[in-house]
Amino acid sequence: MGVKEQQNCPSQRKISVFIVLVFIPIALFRLCLNNPFSAIDDTTLQDSTPHVVITSYSSSQEDETQESYDRIKEESLCDYTKGKWVRDKMGPLYNGSSCGTIKDGQNCLRHGRPDSGYLYWKWKPNQCDIPRFEANRFLDLMRDKHLAFIGDSMARNQLESLICLLSTVSSPDLVYRNGEDNKFRKWRFESHNVTVSVYWSPFLVAGLEKSGNVDHNVLHVDRVDERWGNDLEGFDTVVVSVGHWFLHPAVYHESGSVLGCHSCEASNCTEIGFFDIFRKAIRTTLKAVARNHREVILTTFSPSHFEGRPWDSLGACNMTEPYGAGKVLEGLDLEMRRIEMEEVEAVKAAKGAEVRLEALDVTAISVLRRDGHPGPYMYELPFKNGVPERVHNDCLHWCLPGPVDTWNEFMIEMLRRWRV
């Protein structure tokens, strides 16, 4: 091989390498076009890959995983009222010192109640579980909304429980107060733009409470109490709760005429009792509130535990543990609950999907909690000067914290299902 040929070889090799490098990609490209296995079906790939959904509480909405949705669907078939009270080592989320909105008469430990065992029970349904109350979850569910409690002192009892529970994560601002004994109040939770209010309305319908020389109440069962009715359009969610004021003497009106009365010995009208009147009041109220896609919750009748004893008798409700499984609903408690449940179901059947209405059925679970009332500790240190023959007892309202906190655990589950 001559010197000239040797000098030309590197150039020829470079040309050969260049040709190979150019044609290999072209060949591979054509091969891919003609190879049926090179085409990947996007749908097949997507279906063969597990779906991973990350949930978080965003500032605008609550995201639920499919698993959470399925759980809600299953639990919608669960009867929360069937179960039992079981011991709970965790105890309440707040106490009489950490929450400043507890009414003095329900601040049992601060008033000297010596036992605390009543705080360490939780309700366990037979077929499902009730999650522990999550204040952030509740505020997320109610973001930018107005929740109004309407009713008597039991509505206020439930409201104050809720304010205490929510205060564990967000400080409320009391923005309105009117009326004696804090009967009309409004709070704002600025962190979530949530408004919570309470309206005193012991009959729900229009009426005059007995006072002074008038020894009976006056009810107009065909129209709602304007004290809350005038503000109704500003409510997104309404909780109504009444009952015990219907037991008092009263005269009833409808369409401008006197229907009759209850316990009206000195009146010139017919005794008709109060059960039918209670039904009319519930019906009038639900007709007014259950519209315009408003969410409505009716908290059923809350039993008392005087159990035939005078309210000023010593030891009227001094039990320290709940009743066992043998205790059943009967008498007044059973009938008041039955009326409420029937009226709720009637409205749901008539209005169908256009209404969000549920009964917060607490009567059966609450009748077991004979231990949850203030009793003599409605007043501070009632026995500081010894044990008197007579002492005033509250065997109707609930200590805070106490069994009424469970009602709000039920309520958050209702709201959660409505949001899914």
Side-chain angles (χ1 to χ4, degrees):
M1 183 180 295
V3 175
K4 187 175 181 180
E5 291 178 341
Q6 291 178 356
Q7 290 176 344
N8 290 337
C9 281
S11 297
Q12 292 173 351
R13 289 194 188 99
K14 289 180 181 179
I15 293 172
S16 299
V17 170
F18 175 79
I19 292 172
V20 170
L21 291 176
V22 168
F23 279 96
I24 285 178
I26 294 173
L28 290 174
F29 179 72
R30 291 181 58 119
L31 180 63
C32 289
L33 286 176
N34 295 322
N35 188 352
F37 298 103
S38 68
I40 299 177
D41 184 350
D42 290 338
T43 304
T44 304
L45 177 63
Q46 187 176 13
D47 289 344
S48 64
T49 305
H51 292 256
V52 180
V53 181
I54 301 175
T55 61
S56 64
Y57 299 114
S58 67
S59 60
S60 59
Q61 65 182 22
E62 178 190 17
D63 298 319
E64 294 282 355
T65 64
Q66 183 65 37
E67 180 182 353
S68 177
Y69 176 80
D70 292 341
R71 182 171 69 86
I72 292 171
K73 198 172 180 180
E74 289 175 8
E75 289 182 358
S76 65
L77 304 176
C78 172
D79 185 353
Y80 286 95
T81 66
K82 300 295 190 297
K84 60 183 178 180
W85 290 97
V86 298
R87 290 285 187 182
D88 177 25
K89 294 181 179 180
M90 297 185 69
L93 292 170
Y94 65 94
N95 57 53
S97 299
S98 65
C99 180
T101 58
I102 300 176
K103 180 180 170 64
D104 281 344
Q106 280 109 54
N107 204 336
C108 300
L109 288 183
R110 177 171 283 187
H111 279 188
R113 179 168 172 168
D115 64 302
S116 60
Y118 69 96
L119 297 172
Y120 295 91
W121 295 88
K122 68 177 180 180
W123 179 252
K124 176 65 177 71
N126 293 334
Q127 299 174 316
C128 50
D129 291 313
I130 298 291
R132 192 168 171 83
F133 188 90
E134 296 180 53
N136 276 320
R137 168 71 68 92
F138 190 95
L139 290 169
D140 278 338
L141 290 170
M142 290 303 301
R143 185 180 295 276
D144 301 324
K145 296 183 183 296
H146 185 171
L147 168 63
F149 286 79
I150 304 169
D152 57 19
S153 55
M154 300 313 301
R156 182 175 61 199
N157 208 177
Q158 184 182 355
L159 159 97
E160 290 175 346
S161 162
L162 179 64
I163 294 295
C164 288
L165 290 166
L166 297 180
S167 297
T168 61
V169 299
S170 181
S171 297
D173 296 320
L174 181 62
V175 296
Y176 177 80
R177 175 166 52 191
N178 190 21
E180 61 179 12
D181 203 22
N182 293 322
K183 290 182 175 178
F184 301 89
R185 285 174 291 171
K186 183 184 295 183
W187 292 266
R188 292 269 298 168
F189 290 86
E190 292 294 341
S191 61
H192 294 71
N193 192 30
V194 173
T195 301
V196 181
S197 59
V198 61
Y199 288 76
W200 171 259
S201 184
F203 315 115
L204 296 176
V205 294
L208 295 174
E209 300 164 31
K210 59 182 180 180
S211 62
N213 296 326
V214 180
D215 63 352
H216 62 271
N217 301 311
V218 177
L219 280 68
H220 298 269
V221 297
D222 54 347
R223 52 191 172 91
V224 300
D225 185 350
E226 65 180 16
R227 291 178 297 183
W228 62 265
N230 289 341
D231 293 345
L232 180 58
E233 295 308 314
F235 304 153
D236 298 291
T237 305
V238 173
V239 180
V240 295
S241 177
V242 291
H244 289 276
W245 273 73
F246 286 84
L247 280 61
H248 299 174
V251 175
Y252 310 123
H253 297 256
E254 185 176 31
S255 302
S257 301
V258 176
L259 280 177
C261 60
H262 168 59
S263 296
C264 47
E265 298 174 359
S267 302
N268 295 322
C269 61
T270 304
E271 171 70 43
I272 62 173
F274 61 85
F275 286 126
D276 286 343
I277 296 301
F278 180 61
R279 183 185 294 277
K280 285 178 178 288
I282 295 295
R283 185 174 298 172
T284 297
T285 300
L286 294 183
K287 182 179 179 180
V289 299
R291 54 189 175 86
N292 296 338
H293 301 285
R294 188 179 294 110
E295 298 168 339
V296 182
I297 296 170
L298 186 150
T299 303
T300 60
F301 190 72
S302 179
S304 67
H305 288 90
F306 292 101
E307 298 177 335
R309 288 168 291 191
W311 78 290
D312 61 349
S313 65
L314 192 63
C317 51
N318 61 352
M319 300 299 180
T320 58
E321 290 192 356
Y323 278 114
K327 181 66 174 176
V328 296
L329 281 180
E330 57 187 353
L332 174 69
D333 302 333
L334 181 64
E335 183 64 14
M336 296 292 271
R337 175 194 173 273
R338 183 180 70 83
I339 291 171
E340 291 171 316
M341 298 297 289
E342 288 176 355
E343 291 304 310
V344 166
E345 290 306 313
V347 173
K348 290 171 66 176
K351 296 197 173 185
E354 67 180 271
V355 62
R356 284 183 168 180
L357 168 64
E358 292 293 341
L360 180 58
D361 189 3
V362 301
T363 310
I365 75 163
S366 299
V367 78
L368 301 175
R369 292 307 305 272
R370 59 182 180 175
D371 59 323
H373 303 289
Y377 300 98
M378 62 184 293
Y379 297 114
E380 188 174 7
L381 304 176
F383 304 117
K384 64 181 178 181
N385 296 321
V387 181
E389 284 187 27
R390 294 286 177 183
V391 60
H392 294 170
N393 290 278
D394 182 354
C395 304
L396 171 61
H397 302 97
W398 303 99
C399 291
L400 291 178
V404 68
D405 296 328
T406 300
W407 302 5
N408 289 317
E409 290 180 342
F410 285 11
M411 183 167 69
I412 191 174
E413 293 303 298
M414 286 183 177
L415 295 173
R416 189 166 62 90
R417 290 194 189 110
W418 281 337
R419 301 293 191 272
V420 172

